[in-house]
Amino acid sequence: MNMIDPFGRTISYLRVSVTDRCDFRCTYCMAEDMAFLPKKDLLSLEELDRLTTVFVEKGVKKLRLTGGEPLVRKNIMHLVRQISRHLESGALEELTLTTNGSQLSRFAAELADCGVKRINVSLDTLDPQKFHAITRWGNLDRVMAGIDAAQAAGLKVKINAVALKGFNDAELPELMRWAHGRGMDLTVIETMPMGEIDEDRTDQYLPLSLVRAGLERQFTLADIPYKTGGPARYVEVAETGGRLGFITPMTHNFCESCNRVRLTCTGTLYMCLGQDDAADLRAPLRASEGNELVSDAIDEAIGRKPKGHDFIIDRNTSRPAVSRHMSVTGG
């Protein structure tokens, strides 16, 4: 039942955006005055469970819940608990979550109880004022309390930081030391041209080749084959003993090994984060109580998965590569 795309890549990783809503307004992700989807357009939790089950039956081994902020979706833990039955059966190898950490104090223990072993927390700075500025609405103390709760619950935490020129570039060494000092990996990510925001991305864009060169003036970085199923390339940092990941969609894309597709909270399947081509799974899902129509629609969509994305950030390309915001598709 494995899903194979036209370039021979096995699709074994599904990222599900359970909501486009978020309790932050990060400046590189969305505009401050965002118009979110009306609730009537969203799939119900039962429909999301049904769709994810079809993907598991078709060979998905890793499933990540994203948003927006997934933990602001009402009754989200009901969905997590439903999906966790696939962990218990062995059909699903891993259920993970990407979060901004704001709600972790409430949900960390229950996530662990549902079989979630590790989570990613998005955190771009350790400075409270800068954190509030970049998130617009966020509170750093609340996120730190969430990370504490996650680690206390036994969850393995990885920190994701978007590298932003003139904002956190000088702070990345400190962020890495802090993460590694708490037993957490750190992954740095290049900003991506998705959706209209209030700022010029060419002013924000920081190639990770420059970040790595800067870090290598202070640290000893050794490439390692470690993989989590996502696109990050990892190094081990001799001075801290921790792992550092680089996600480089702009300077060195990872399309040749892409094993991922993304499902939105409206039932739209995006075969590539950096392309607008998509498939509607909501209509076939609701057209029949059985799953044959959905399964056929998924097969047709996987058959259109492109070789790579169209991301470009430069002074000659003012508009984003895709019109939807990252919060629609999930990180």
Side-chain angles (χ1 to χ4, degrees):
M1 292 295 290
N2 284 349
M3 296 177 286
I4 310 293
D5 78 2
F7 304 95
R9 298 169 298 194
T10 299
I11 308 305
S12 58
Y13 183 2
L14 176 67
R15 302 177 73 114
V16 182
S17 177
V18 297
T19 178
D20 67 327
R21 295 172 184 268
C22 187
D23 50 353
F24 291 179
R25 294 291 183 274
C26 293
T27 59
Y28 54 82
C29 181
M30 60 177 74
E32 185 166 14
D33 186 22
M34 284 290 291
F36 293 112
L37 293 165
K39 291 183 179 179
K40 63 180 178 60
D41 290 350
L42 271 59
L43 295 179
S44 68
L45 295 179
E46 289 72 23
E47 287 174 323
L48 282 169
D49 175 44
R50 185 176 156 201
L51 265 182
T52 56
T53 295
V54 175
F55 275 98
V56 171
E57 291 172 348
K58 294 177 75 65
V60 160
K61 296 299 182 186
K62 177 177 177 180
L63 198 154
R64 179 177 294 277
L65 300 180
T66 70
E69 168 49 48
L71 295 178
V72 301
R73 174 81 192 249
K74 188 176 181 181
N75 296 325
I76 184 59
M77 292 310 304
H78 173 73
L79 177 63
V80 175
R81 198 162 289 282
Q82 287 296 106
I83 294 174
S84 71
R85 73 187 184 277
H86 302 304
L87 292 172
E88 295 170 5
S89 73
L92 188 64
E93 294 175 1
E94 186 176 44
L95 175 60
T96 60
L97 182 89
T98 294
T99 174
N100 64 26
S102 67
Q103 308 296 319
L104 271 178
S105 292
R106 295 172 57 200
F107 294 116
E110 192 173 358
L111 286 168
D113 186 58
C114 289
V116 175
K117 297 287 193 295
R118 63 187 188 94
I119 60 172
N120 292 353
V121 177
S122 300
L123 179 64
D124 303 317
T125 176
L126 297 174
D127 181 291
Q129 283 73 40
K130 288 171 68 175
F131 180 84
H132 185 72
I134 197 74
T135 62
R136 293 191 179 103
W137 297 2
N139 181 290
L140 183 61
D141 288 341
R142 189 171 178 182
V143 173
M144 290 299 185
I147 292 171
D148 291 342
Q151 290 192 310
L155 295 173
K156 184 174 176 59
V157 178
K158 179 168 75 72
I159 301 298
N160 286 347
V162 177
L164 299 166
K165 183 171 61 179
F167 177 77
N168 64 356
D169 38 359
E171 193 183 342
L172 291 175
E174 177 191 355
L175 188 61
M176 184 179 72
R177 287 191 191 96
W178 169 79
H180 290 176
R182 294 193 51 159
M184 302 183 292
D185 292 348
L186 171 68
T187 295
V188 286
I189 307 169
E190 289 174 336
T191 186
M192 289 175 257
M194 297 187 65
E196 295 287 356
I197 59 174
D198 299 329
E199 301 185 21
D200 187 341
R201 282 196 172 89
T202 53
D203 293 331
Q204 298 178 323
Y205 174 54
L206 178 62
L208 292 193
S209 54
L210 297 181
V211 172
R212 177 164 180 164
L215 289 171
E216 285 180 324
R217 288 192 283 270
Q218 302 180 55
F219 302 96
T220 308
L221 309 183
D223 292 304
I224 56 175
Y226 177 74
K227 281 284 187 184
T228 63
R233 295 177 172 91
Y234 283 89
V235 299
E236 190 169 69
V237 184
E239 290 77 5
T240 64
R243 285 188 294 251
L244 174 66
F246 296 95
I247 296 182
T248 54
M250 309 304 299
T251 55
H252 180 186
N253 77 52
F254 34 77
C255 303
E256 73 278 357
S257 60
C258 184
N259 60 348
R260 298 169 295 286
V261 289
R262 290 169 168 83
L263 179 67
T264 76
C265 54
T266 62
T268 302
L269 182 70
Y270 286 97
M271 291 71 80
C272 175
L273 184 63
Q275 300 270 9
D276 277 324
D277 187 31
D280 173 26
L281 300 185
R282 181 172 60 184
L285 180 76
R286 292 178 174 176
S288 170
E289 292 185 4
N291 292 329
E292 285 186 12
L293 292 178
V294 172
S295 182
D296 290 345
I298 293 171
D299 288 340
E300 194 274 335
I302 298 300
R304 303 202 312 267
K305 184 171 170 64
K307 189 173 184 178
H309 64 65
D310 290 335
F311 286 150
I312 298 171
I313 293 180
D314 61 33
R315 292 290 174 191
N316 299 319
T317 310
S318 59
R319 296 192 62 79
V322 294
S323 58
R324 68 186 184 277
H325 288 82
M326 178 69 85
S327 60
V328 172
T329 322

